[in-house]
Amino acid sequence: MCLSVPAKIAKILPNELALVFIDGVNLEISIALLDELDVGDFVLVHVGYALAKIDPAEAKRTLELLQELGAAKECRS
């Protein structure tokens, strides 16, 4: 099973890299697979690569669902 996570681009770096923000964590990723990204854009990240640009509303919905899944798991423990 593969999972990609929404992330907000915080900074565009040299060599087709970007610094993104994922749930309180900054991560350096490759943006080589996508064109025309800007700071503030949301992308789906999988194993260190931005795979697709998504709209902010979709990113928010997905992040909320992931947080709900995490909360449900904590309740079972």
Side-chain angles (χ1 to χ4, degrees), residues 15-73:
N15 301 317
E16 298 184 317
L17 298 173
L19 186 64
V20 297
F21 180 75
I22 302 174
D23 198 29
V25 176
N26 287 323
L27 180 68
E28 191 174 298
I29 64 162
S30 172
I31 55 172
L33 302 175
L34 301 175
D35 294 323
E36 299 184 31
L37 293 174
D38 295 310
V39 170
D41 286 344
F42 283 88
V43 293
L44 289 177
V45 177
H46 177 67
V47 294
Y49 287 86
L51 299 179
K53 183 175 171 180
I54 61 172
D55 68 75
E58 182 64 25
K60 181 181 177 191
R61 282 192 297 273
T62 303
L63 290 170
E64 288 170 350
L65 286 171
L66 290 172
Q67 289 172 348
E68 286 178 28
L69 286 171
K73 182 179 177 184

